[in-house]
Amino acid sequence: MTAFLIENIAPIMFFSLIVLMLLGFPVAFSLAANGILFALVGMELDLLSPSLLQVLPQRVFGIMMNDVLLALPFFTFMGLLLERSGMAEDLLETVGQLFGPIRGGLAFAVIAVGALLAATTGVVSASVISMGLISLPIMLRYGYDRSVATGVIAASGTLSQIIPPSLTLIILADQLGRPVGDMYQGAIIPGLVLTGAYMLYVAFIALLRPRKAPSLPTEVMAGRTDKGRSGARSLLVAFIIGSMATWIGMSLLVDPEATRGARIVLSLSGWSLVVFAIACVDRLLSLNLLSQIAQRTIFAMVPPLTLIFLVLGTIFIGVATPTEGGAMGALGALVLALAKQRLNLARFQQAMEATMRLTSFAIFILVGSTVFSLTFRAVNGDLWVEHLLLNLPGGEMGFLIFVSVFVFIAAFFLDFFELAFIVIPLIGPVAETFGIDMVWFGVLIAVNMQTSFMHPPFGLALFYLRSVAPARDYADKVTGQSIARVTTGQIYRGSIPFICIQLAMVILVLMLPEMVTHYKAAHVHDVDPGSVEINVGGADYGSGSPFD
Amino acid sequence: MTALLHISRAIDGMNMVLGRILPWAVIIAVLVSAGNALSRKFFQVSSNAWLEAQLYLFGVIFLLPAGYTLLKNGHVRVDILASKLPRRVQLWIEILGVVFLMFPAVLLIVWYGIPNFVASFESGETSPNAGGLARWPAKLLVPLGFGFLLLAGLSHLIKCVGFLMGRCPDPMQPAGSSEEEELMQELKAELTKADDEEGDKK
């Protein structure tokens, strides 16, 4: 019995963790208790030193001194403030008006706004709730297929998992030990390709099944010019002028050796500034060269673009650490919310309180997991996991496929923080042993987790959409028609095509690591530490490594 | 039992007060951190003391409200299976969980955390970075935060037993509405208002 226990203490510890977690007691404490229980067992069996647990307060102190994790409250706070600033409403309304006359236009608008919200608020629940309350009734009113409408909203809401400056990517970068900036650069292309794939799917529906995604009747479009034009033309002209000015400005002013990320962010912000200037001049001088809708679109789009610049730009250019970028973003969001007069003291306090609560429970999972892994490592549990995973059939690819499937399934039971703080520390070192690029690995995990957000029946995006979609038949307020309720089955069916797109994306990231690993190009100008020779004459003091 | 419930109420009152004061640390941390970035960029001034201050504030943000978060039923659970169990069984799991899972872990960290703080305080330990802060306030946060958590756990235990005896309301219901619900309410209110205004125009 004792011999069996000694032999198999790591697997026993792992499975007892699963049982304890399923009891439904807060995970942070189950993790910690499991760690302590097996530390005592290990001490009893003379496997472990009795002083093992004395380091625990110091470990908690170490978590406190982790600069990257401080980004967690900052980005959460920024998202909560923006949620209340009315940005989502403004964007959905104007972009919806703009795309409305095209077939499938509202669906395109939802995807575009979803991507923009993803890059600013970064909260799945907030995006889905806003889009479900604002866009879904309009889509139902004009006869969108219910599954198409709900699927687009749920999927677009999950984009915030993968499009930088996502909180997911920060935590993954921290747990995998890679710079947050690299993780952002690596995730940009998969995020944009995914957005494009959603749009392609909607275009496909609009072309082949026009009845499922109709255009809006022209008479309902507010803000039309007297001649009945949509007003999109003047917006297009403003955009083209903006692009040209940005291109000229970029080639004159910006160092051609700047990294790709820095150039993307700089052009984006330059472009939005030029377009914003055009709109301001037009309004102040009452030139009315721009249509009303063009002006409103510009005024709705520039604040989020500026915020993205503030956050991503300062990180990519190297002005700020990711944490400081988050602080700047939170400050920007605060100014924006104040400028829109959407903030009062009570709401401000609510946002801070919610931020604090989220930070506390998230970091406590990490504290619990730290206690767990202290013992788990001491009983060589990490070697056990490594041994299991290294011997999977198919070597590196087999491991990656296993991880994808595992994360996909585990995400049904665990939320993001649990996955990041419990599962990633177990599989990360194995990926490292395989020599897998850790940023690529992180992005792959992020896409997998994103999928699980929209997977029936537990997907969070579906859950929030269900809670805001009409559960009863209702009379539409504009047309007075009776509109049937949205069934849960319709929501589930709607997610299926997007899950397929998502799986295709996982395979694409697996087959084409270049989509992610291009971030390394940003480092070619860095000095290779291996090639540096330092010749210092004189006394040879202090040249030894601190680790010798 | 009545005396115990009084103790529980006193503990909850203390954690509620913390829950009102501590959120302000969030905005202070934001200002300190943004200030660090800006002063480094524009004035080439960088202070290790301020860089460390933001980390101490991080400690304040996640450690000290641990008890408050427990009070608000905010610590994440894997309740896919457990939520299907009868209410009384869930309460029993909760009671056993507090006694056998939570207390040992929390007590241990408080137990080892106090001498850790005392040693740092008495030796006048400061950070190894030039111009860094004294270390003892950060080390004090660990036993302090876990101490609040321990008290909140005690109060939670009393309330769970009290509920099973029919002496107090169910402690596992979240006290306030969630952030998501509030957003929903607010958006709905705004949308109805906009619709009404449109209706008035017609």
Side-chain angles (χ1 to χ4, degrees):
Chain A
M1 177 64 197
T2 316
F4 175 81
L5 196 58
I6 292 176
E7 196 68 16
N8 293 298
I9 188 161
I12 294 172
M13 186 174 173
F14 185 76
F15 287 108
S16 86
L17 173 70
I18 295 179
V19 174
L20 279 182
M21 292 215 312
L22 286 177
L23 282 178
F25 196 67
V27 173
F29 310 127
S30 303
L31 273 164
N34 198 42
I36 290 171
L37 172 70
F38 280 86
L40 296 178
V41 172
M43 288 170 198
E44 195 59 35
L45 297 173
D46 285 329
L47 290 173
L48 305 176
S49 133
S51 61
L52 179 75
L53 294 174
Q54 279 179 22
V55 300
L56 284 180
Q58 204 54 30
R59 290 286 169 100
V60 178
F61 176 77
I63 293 173
M64 196 191 314
M65 291 294 123
N66 183 332
D67 175 64
V68 177
L69 289 177
L70 178 58
L72 172 68
F74 290 171
F75 279 96
T76 310
F77 190 47
M78 168 174 151
L80 289 174
L81 285 174
L82 284 179
E83 224 179 87
R84 300 302 171 86
S85 72
M87 189 178 79
E89 288 105 301
D90 292 352
L91 277 173
L92 284 170
E93 203 177 305
T94 52
V95 181
Q97 292 269 334
L98 203 62
F99 283 98
I102 315 171
R103 262 196 244 157
L106 275 179
F108 287 122
V110 164
I111 297 172
V113 173
L116 255 184
L117 289 181
T120 45
T121 65
V123 190
V124 173
S125 57
S127 306
V128 172
I129 290 172
S130 307
M131 297 195 288
L133 280 175
I134 298 165
S135 300
L136 185 60
I138 308 179
M139 290 166 113
L140 295 179
R141 180 183 305 153
Y142 297 111
Y144 267 71
D145 179 78
R146 276 126 195 287
S147 292
V148 171
T150 53
V152 164
I153 291 175
S156 306
T158 64
L159 281 175
S160 53
Q161 289 292 299
I162 182 85
I163 293 184
S166 141
L167 199 55
T168 315
L169 295 172
I170 297 180
I171 305 279
L172 282 174
D174 176 62
Q175 290 297 305
L176 294 170
R178 286 296 176 276
V180 175
D182 284 0
M183 201 62 111
Y184 280 174
Q185 301 228 6
I188 284 183
I189 291 183
L192 292 181
V193 170
L194 207 51
T195 315
Y198 291 175
M199 291 208 174
L200 217 60
Y201 169 71
V202 171
F204 184 74
I205 294 270
L207 280 177
L208 298 182
R209 302 264 187 283
R211 248 191 288 157
K212 289 190 167 187
S215 55
L216 263 53
T218 37
E219 65 270 15
V220 302
M221 305 305 296
R224 304 210 140 234
T225 56
D226 302 335
K227 292 164 204 147
R229 292 217 185 98
S230 69
R233 192 186 294 171
S234 59
L235 184 66
L236 201 65
V237 172
F239 281 3
I240 291 172
I241 295 175
S243 309
M244 277 162 45
T246 310
W247 187 73
I248 295 169
M250 287 294 288
S251 39
L252 286 180
L253 298 174
V254 175
D255 179 5
E257 297 198 344
T259 65
R260 188 198 323 229
R263 266 179 291 147
I264 292 176
V265 170
L266 274 177
S267 359
L268 194 66
S269 54
W271 181 84
S272 60
L273 276 181
V274 173
V275 174
F276 188 61
I278 295 175
C280 283
V281 169
D282 186 64
R283 174 178 279 188
L284 287 177
L285 302 181
S286 314
L287 295 175
N288 291 329
L289 291 173
L290 291 172
S291 63
Q292 204 194 341
I293 183 74
Q295 270 203 5
R296 282 179 49 205
T297 310
I298 291 172
F299 284 122
M301 267 178 55
V302 166
L305 286 174
T306 315
L307 260 184
I308 296 172
F309 166 69
L310 206 63
V311 177
L312 283 185
T314 46
I315 296 172
F316 280 162
I317 299 168
V319 177
T321 64
T323 304
E324 290 165 344
M328 306 275 272
L331 217 52
L334 185 61
V335 171
L336 197 67
L338 284 175
K340 292 204 165 192
Q341 300 183 330
R342 298 283 188 112
L343 202 65
N344 54 30
L345 187 64
R347 279 185 188 174
F348 180 61
Q349 277 178 311
Q350 260 172 24
M352 290 194 300
E353 192 263 359
T355 303
M356 177 187 81
R357 225 164 354 114
L358 184 132
T359 309
S360 183
F361 85 63
I363 302 295
F364 260 79
I365 298 174
L366 179 60
V367 170
S369 153
T370 305
V371 182
F372 172 79
S373 54
L374 180 71
T375 310
F376 197 61
R377 270 188 201 165
V379 298
N380 291 329
D382 48 340
L383 296 180
W384 171 67
V385 172
E386 196 167 314
H387 179 76
L388 276 184
L389 296 183
L390 281 176
N391 289 323
L392 284 172
E396 185 184 316
M397 199 37 92
F399 167 72
L400 288 172
I401 293 173
F402 169 81
V403 167
S404 296
V405 174
F406 180 80
V407 169
F408 183 75
I409 295 174
F412 288 158
F413 302 93
L414 304 179
D415 78 350
F416 163 68
F417 292 115
E418 293 161 335
L419 276 174
F421 292 138
I422 306 170
V423 178
I424 304 297
L426 292 177
I427 56 179
V430 187
E432 194 107 63
T433 313
F434 270 119
I436 294 169
D437 184 281
M438 295 303 267
V439 172
W440 178 47
F441 187 65
V443 172
L444 186 68
I445 290 175
V447 180
N448 270 306
M449 281 204 254
Q450 190 205 344
T451 312
S452 68
F453 269 90
M454 56 172 109
H455 196 295
F458 303 124
L460 262 190
L462 303 183
F463 172 78
Y464 285 117
L465 186 57
R466 170 69 278 174
S467 58
V468 293
R472 252 178 248 120
D473 298 359
Y474 66 101
D476 186 78
K477 279 180 187 140
V478 175
T479 61
Q481 276 175 320
S482 165
I483 295 193
R485 68 198 188 93
V486 176
T487 65
T488 308
Q490 285 163 345
I491 294 180
Y492 287 177
R493 260 197 303 285
S495 67
I496 293 171
F498 289 95
I499 295 173
C500 295
I501 294 176
Q502 212 66 37
L503 287 181
M505 190 66 205
V506 171
I507 295 169
L508 203 63
V509 173
L510 270 175
M511 306 307 282
L512 287 174
E514 296 81 12
M515 275 171 78
V516 176
T517 51
H518 66 83
Y519 77 90
K520 284 184 190 149
H523 292 305
V524 282
H525 304 293
D526 294 356
V527 182
D528 174 13
S531 67
V532 179
E533 275 181 58
I534 303 171
N535 295 308
V536 186
D540 184 16
Y541 50 81
S543 65
S545 155
F547 301 111
D548 287 347
Chain B
M1 195 66 215
T2 315
L4 287 175
L5 281 171
H6 275 298
I7 295 175
S8 156
R9 221 163 292 143
I11 295 173
D12 289 356
M14 180 199 70
N15 273 319
M16 285 305 287
V17 171
L18 285 173
R20 265 200 300 278
I21 303 169
L22 292 173
W24 290 96
V26 173
I27 186 68
I28 299 174
V30 166
L31 291 174
V32 169
S33 186
N36 282 336
L38 293 174
S39 77
R40 195 172 59 233
K41 178 67 187 170
F42 293 111
F43 309 108
Q44 278 80 42
V45 179
S46 177
S47 143
N48 279 328
W50 283 105
L51 285 174
E52 286 176 13
Q54 66 179 16
L55 297 177
Y56 287 20
L57 281 165
F58 177 47
V60 171
I61 293 171
F62 82 82
L63 279 170
L64 298 190
Y68 171 75
T69 307
L70 185 77
L71 176 63
K72 291 276 173 175
N73 201 5
H75 286 287
V76 197
R77 304 158 183 271
V78 181
D79 52 7
I80 280 187
L81 297 180
S83 58
K84 306 263 188 307
L85 296 170
R87 200 85 196 92
R88 289 187 77 84
V89 178
Q90 287 181 37
L91 258 299
W92 272 108
I93 290 177
E94 197 71 7
I95 290 170
L96 296 177
V98 171
V99 176
F100 292 107
L101 299 178
M102 188 180 151
F103 278 170
V106 175
L107 264 174
L108 200 73
I109 294 181
V110 176
W111 184 254
Y112 286 133
I114 292 173
N116 197 34
F117 151 69
V118 171
S120 171
F121 184 75
E122 284 180 345
S123 68
E125 185 191 5
T126 54
S127 115
N129 304 316
L133 299 175
R135 274 282 183 255
W136 66 263
K139 299 214 161 158
L140 176 62
L141 289 176
V142 178
L144 205 59
F146 278 82
F148 291 144
L149 181 58
L150 189 68
L151 288 174
L154 185 67
S155 158
H156 187 60
L157 182 67
I158 294 172
K159 283 183 289 180
C160 284
V161 175
F163 175 67
L164 283 181
M165 293 166 63
R167 297 285 298 273
C168 68
D170 188 347
M172 302 226 320
Q173 302 297 337
S177 58
S178 73
E179 193 58 37
E180 279 83 18
E181 280 162 19
E182 264 159 34
L183 176 67
M184 273 181 226
Q185 298 299 336
E186 221 163 85
L187 270 177
K188 274 183 192 160
E190 261 168 47
L191 288 171
T192 5
K193 209 174 78 189
D195 280 343
D196 290 348
E197 277 166 15
E198 217 161 273
D200 289 346
K201 268 186 240 160
K202 280 176 190 166

